Amino acid sequence: MAHLLDTSTLTAHLPPVVLEVGELFEDAGYELSLVGGPVRDLFLGRVSPDLDFTTDADPDQTLAVVRRWADAYWEIGRAFGTIGLRKDGYQIEITTYRAEAYDPSSRKPIVAFGTSLEEDLVRRDFTINAMALRLPSLELVDLFGGVRDLHAGILHTPGTPTSSFSDDPLRMMRAARFVSQLGVTVAPEVSEAMTRMADRISIISAERVRDELVKLIQGAAPDAGINIMVDTGLAEHVLPEVSALRLESDEHHRHKDVYQHSLTVLRQACELETRDDGPVPTPDVVLRLAALLHDIGKPATRKFEPGGAVSFRHHDAVGAKLAAKRLRSLRFDNDTIKAVARLVELHMRFYGYGEAGWSDSAVRRYVSDAGPLLERLHRLTRSDVTTRNRRKAERLAFAYDDLEARIAALADQEELDSIRPDLDGGQIMGLLGIRPGPVVGRAYRFLLEERMEHGPQNPVDAETKLRQWWSEQPESQESTP
């Protein structure tokens, strides 16, 4: 069915470039419609900087229309019928009507251009994304009840879910992403098809899966998106370590579900992110991935102790290795992999602080080991407290408040964020009369250890300690005549 929207209301939310390009195509004798996410977002009261259009013009004809109008254009997607361009700060893609399917054994789509808007819409992923706005008339085309499903907050597919996911298995990941981003639920038949076809995600490239996972993690409710992946079996192929957490119990609460605990930690970590001017601006992918993966070392380290207790010794170190391996397989960048793995490795470091207390040396090491991840580590550690025991939760919060206060106090005195030995490499070589080599590194590490243990020292004391250390090294005897 088609609906004619109130022009004055709609144009108030539409960027001027939408109507401009619509008039250009109409003047050239072609059809053009705004389609997909940008139409959906109009009903949500927002406008994306990325605008998608579909047309009956082929790529050559599209280029002829927009070449002089666009600020810039590119033809990277030309083989798929897509011309990209930029205009007034908006990223625009204009795609020829098409039908697209996947060969069951191939990752690459088979592209065939279509002849009508209706034919194009039926091949889209979900009804809420299968709406179009004809331009410049502003006629809404909603053949599959997208407005209805958007208001109901439910994901249906235009055709059968089996056909949709067979055409592009990545749509199953996209369903989980929309659960996270839009707060929708999946229709029962969509969930059933995802469960039955979950293994088809394996034909999709790791890079495309990663991109969908990142969008899911950045959503307003990433825990809900992850839960859909686990419930349908998608996670078995994308994040199997997370699915495995359902089998575990917590070391302190034997009947506590570690999987649900991890979702709670993820949700609480999101709540502790800051605004753009804060130290951890939302959404922070590194913090959120670390929160989700922080306990994935538990299945491999579970041990039943005498008396029925369960332990997970060194699950932090094991989990760090597993997290790095999983993120590498998903083709994450090295910086993200290292940061997430480091946070997983450090997430247990705080425990014990409240009971035994830490020396200034231990506090310095905590800060030094966290490095630029310190603010994220603060939030991950606080998020890891999910106990319902109010007294215990308050005790842990108080202990971490105290640790942060001590870090702040030492930072004022010692510049903790850039701890260095009191003498640099050049000074070490000059004082000891040695050339560059491994010995300089050992001397540097000795002075760094002294700095950690005792705090800043004046150059004279540092030189005295260095000379004493040097006198005990075999190389110093070799250089003595």
Side-chain angles (χ1 to χ4, degrees), residues 420-431 440 443-444 447 462 466:
R420 297 288 185 276
D422 296 288
L423 301 174
D424 62 26
Q427 292 170 309
I428 290 170
M429 290 186 286
L431 287 169
V440 179
Y444 187 92
L447 289 175
L466 177 63

Side-chain angles (χ1 to χ4, degrees), residues 1-110:
M1 59 182 175
H3 303 275
L4 192 64
L5 300 187
D6 179 78
T7 304
S8 61
T9 301
L10 191 60
T11 53
H13 296 89
L14 280 177
V17 294
V18 172
L19 295 177
E20 288 178 21
V21 72
E23 290 170 355
L24 285 175
F25 273 76
E26 183 181 54
D27 291 345
Y30 302 115
E31 297 178 0
L32 185 76
S33 297
L34 184 68
V35 71
V39 179
R40 178 200 69 218
D41 287 348
L42 286 174
F43 290 94
L44 299 175
R46 62 194 191 194
V47 176
S48 168
D50 299 327
L51 301 172
D52 297 323
F53 298 85
T54 189
T55 179
D56 62 346
D58 66 29
D60 287 335
Q61 292 166 333
T62 294
L63 273 175
V65 174
V66 303
R67 182 179 281 112
R68 294 184 179 180
W69 177 74
D71 296 331
Y73 66 88
W74 48 92
E75 304 176 49
I76 297 175
R78 186 190 186 96
F80 299 99
T82 300
I83 299 299
L85 59 101
R86 184 171 60 252
K87 178 69 175 179
D88 295 345
Y90 289 92
Q91 296 288 113
I92 294 172
E93 288 190 348
I94 302 176
T95 302
T96 304
Y97 295 152
R98 65 185 184 183
E100 179 177 289
Y102 272 78
D103 183 285
S105 61
S106 173
R107 292 177 177 178
K108 296 182 178 180
I110 303 168

Side-chain angles (χ1 to χ4, degrees), residues 139-162:
E139 177 190 25
L140 177 67
V141 180
D142 181 12
L143 304 174
F144 309 103
V147 173
R148 174 200 63 210
D149 290 343
L150 190 59
H151 283 305
I154 192 165
L155 286 181
H156 286 283
T157 53
T160 67
T162 298

Side-chain angles (χ1 to χ4, degrees), residues 228-429:
I228 287 293
M229 289 182 60
V230 171
D231 285 348
T232 59
L234 270 178
E236 292 286 350
H237 305 278
V238 179
L239 293 170
E241 298 83 0
V242 174
S243 293
L245 294 176
R246 291 176 297 176
L247 305 177
E248 304 306 321
S249 58
D250 182 82
E251 64 265 43
H252 301 302
H253 302 80
R254 291 188 56 198
H255 303 293
K256 187 175 181 180
D257 185 335
V258 176
Y259 169 65
Q260 290 298 332
H261 162 76
S262 296
L263 293 187
T264 300
V265 173
L266 173 57
R267 185 167 56 252
Q268 293 183 165
C270 294
E271 294 169 354
L272 292 178
E273 291 171 341
T274 63
R275 296 183 179 180
D276 289 345
D277 57 352
V280 186
T282 189
D284 190 273
V285 173
V286 167
L287 174 61
R288 294 183 180 200
L289 285 173
L292 176 64
L293 303 177
H294 76 285
D295 273 348
I296 61 172
K298 284 188 172 180
T301 58
R302 180 174 62 172
K303 183 179 179 181
F304 294 97
E305 304 288 354
V310 181
S311 68
F312 302 94
R313 292 188 181 91
H314 308 302
H315 77 271
D316 43 358
V318 172
K321 293 179 181 178
L322 290 174
K325 183 178 180 180
R326 177 54 50 195
L327 296 180
R328 277 195 297 270
S329 73
L330 289 169
R331 305 292 192 270
F332 275 85
D333 63 278
N334 287 334
D335 288 343
T336 298
I337 294 170
K338 290 178 181 178
V340 172
R342 188 61 167 160
L343 285 171
V344 173
E345 182 183 8
L346 294 174
H347 84 272
M348 293 293 293
R349 183 73 65 87
F350 161 74
Y351 291 95
Y353 175 85
E355 288 78 9
W358 283 358
S359 64
D360 284 352
S361 172
V363 174
R364 292 187 194 101
R365 293 178 194 279
Y366 188 77
V367 174
S368 179
D369 288 346
L373 300 173
L374 182 63
E375 290 292 343
R376 290 183 175 113
L377 182 58
H378 287 335
R379 285 156 178 79
L380 177 59
T381 304
R382 289 184 180 276
S383 300
D384 198 21
V385 179
T386 63
T387 177
R388 295 181 181 179
N389 184 322
R390 182 178 176 182
R391 186 171 298 177
K392 180 179 179 180
E394 290 177 347
R395 184 172 68 251
L396 288 169
F398 176 81
Y400 208 86
D401 287 344
D402 183 67
L403 174 58
E404 287 202 61
R406 289 184 62 191
I407 289 172
L410 283 173
D412 286 343
Q413 304 169 29
E414 305 180 13
E415 299 182 4
L416 286 183
D417 59 342
S418 57
I419 292 179
R420 297 288 185 276
D422 296 288
L423 301 174
D424 62 26
Q427 292 170 309
I428 290 170
M429 290 186 286

Side-chain angles (χ1 to χ4, degrees), residues 199-225:
D199 63 341
R200 288 216 74 220
I201 198 69
S202 61
I203 76 167
I204 302 298
S205 70
E207 290 82 1
R208 293 185 70 205
V209 172
R210 175 204 61 210
D211 290 347
E212 284 298 326
L213 180 61
V214 167
K215 292 174 184 177
L216 184 160
I217 287 292
Q218 291 176 316
D223 55 314

